[in-house]
Amino acid sequence: NAGVTQTPKFQVLKTGQSMTLQCAQDMNHNSMYWYRQDPGMGLRLIYYSASEGTTDKGEVPNGYNVSRLNKREFSLRLESAAPSQTSVYFCASSEAAVGLSNQPQHFGDGTRLSIL
Amino acid sequence: QKEVEQDPGPLSVPEGAIVSLNCTYSNSAFQYFMWYRQYSRKGPELLMYTYSSGNKEDGRFTAQVDKSSKYISLFIRDSQPSDSATYLCAWGSSYKLIFGSGTRLLVRP
């Protein structure tokens, strides 16, 4: 059972470089999410997509862009990486949809990103 | 005030102990409540999920929700070394979840 798959698992970037983090889910879920996790800060929502073709900002969207490529895939792009974006990034998906919004989220194992 | 408050620990207990993990929240609009377990270098894994006040049991795990006090707890009976992980509480409203920062638990053999 693959569930939510994130690539790459690790990456080191230099300040100013760009990068796209990939996420794919095989559970036919409607909603997908990107979080970052920093020590003492918990998980903070960057962007989410409630359905194919829609995206919305979360708590900390600045410096990021997203694309919901199709129902399975949701990518996160850093256009010009900054050291403050060093973090662990998690993708999640859920069955949540219009009229069925209160559903648990299922997470991938993360991408560990360091920006020097 | 943070929307969700959770003691970061670490909490160290001997094998077989009963563990109590707690969270408080401030927003009464939250509709559903979850506990996630996160092992080192892994993603959070859903443990418990409930809409209502009261207790929900699943094996050695019991989630307790008190909406009037805005307080939730996770109890782990007969704790095992394999329970050593970080436990995250989460509250949901519509599509979004708000997470606590996590309590690190260590169960000593």
Side-chain angles (χ1 to χ4, degrees):
Chain A
N1 291 340
V4 178
T5 303
Q6 292 184 238
T7 55
K9 295 190 186 309
F10 305 94
Q11 186 69 48
V12 179
L13 293 177
K14 293 181 179 178
T15 298
Q17 287 185 315
S18 61
M19 166 144 199
T20 299
L21 280 60
Q22 306 288 351
C23 175
Q25 52 93 6
D26 63 1
M27 296 174 281
N28 201 36
H29 283 170
N30 296 303
S31 298
M32 297 186 73
Y33 307 80
W34 277 104
Y35 292 88
R36 60 179 290 173
Q37 187 175 39
D38 302 290
M41 301 291 288
L43 284 156
R44 293 183 291 169
L45 183 64
I46 304 171
Y47 272 93
Y48 70 102
S49 170
S51 63
E52 188 178 349
T54 68
T55 61
D56 285 285
K57 294 178 180 179
E59 182 185 354
V60 289
N62 291 345
Y64 304 96
N65 287 301
V66 290
S67 295
R68 183 75 183 267
L69 304 170
N70 48 55
K71 193 171 185 180
R72 289 187 64 248
E73 298 173 288
F74 189 38
S75 62
L76 177 72
R77 183 162 177 83
L78 286 69
E79 290 290 354
S80 179
S84 61
Q85 293 177 305
T86 293
S87 188
V88 183
Y89 290 86
F90 287 101
C91 178
S93 70
S94 100
E95 291 185 83
V98 174
L100 187 70
S101 56
N102 297 337
Q103 297 296 311
Q105 294 177 16
H106 303 268
F107 286 79
D109 281 337
T111 294
R112 282 155 183 79
L113 184 60
S114 291
I115 298 159
L116 307 176
Chain B
Q1 182 185 10
K2 287 185 182 178
E3 287 199 272
V4 176
E5 299 276 359
Q6 185 173 11
D7 187 333
L11 178 62
S12 181
V13 301
E15 183 175 355
I18 296 174
V19 176
S20 171
L21 303 169
N22 307 297
C23 287
T24 58
Y25 63 98
S26 58
N27 188 341
S28 57
F30 289 137
Q31 297 168 350
Y32 57 109
F33 310 91
M34 300 175 194
W35 283 96
Y36 283 82
R37 177 176 61 196
Q38 186 175 19
Y39 291 114
S40 179
R41 297 192 168 274
K42 291 290 188 180
E45 167 194 4
L46 181 68
L47 268 183
M48 303 286 282
Y49 170 58
T50 180
Y51 277 97
S52 56
S53 283
N55 293 352
K56 182 175 182 178
E57 192 172 317
D58 184 0
R60 295 184 297 110
F61 298 90
T62 299
Q64 187 176 79
V65 175
D66 183 344
K67 288 188 179 182
S68 61
S69 301
K70 299 192 180 73
Y71 191 88
I72 71 167
S73 299
L74 179 71
F75 298 97
I76 307 174
R77 291 184 298 281
D78 187 25
S79 57
Q80 302 295 308
S82 58
D83 294 327
S84 297
T86 296
Y87 290 80
L88 303 163
C89 57
W91 276 263
S93 178
S94 188
Y95 294 94
K96 300 182 191 177
L97 292 181
I98 305 295
F99 286 86
S101 54
T103 298
R104 193 156 62 93
L105 172 66
L106 174 63
V107 181
R108 307 185 306 271

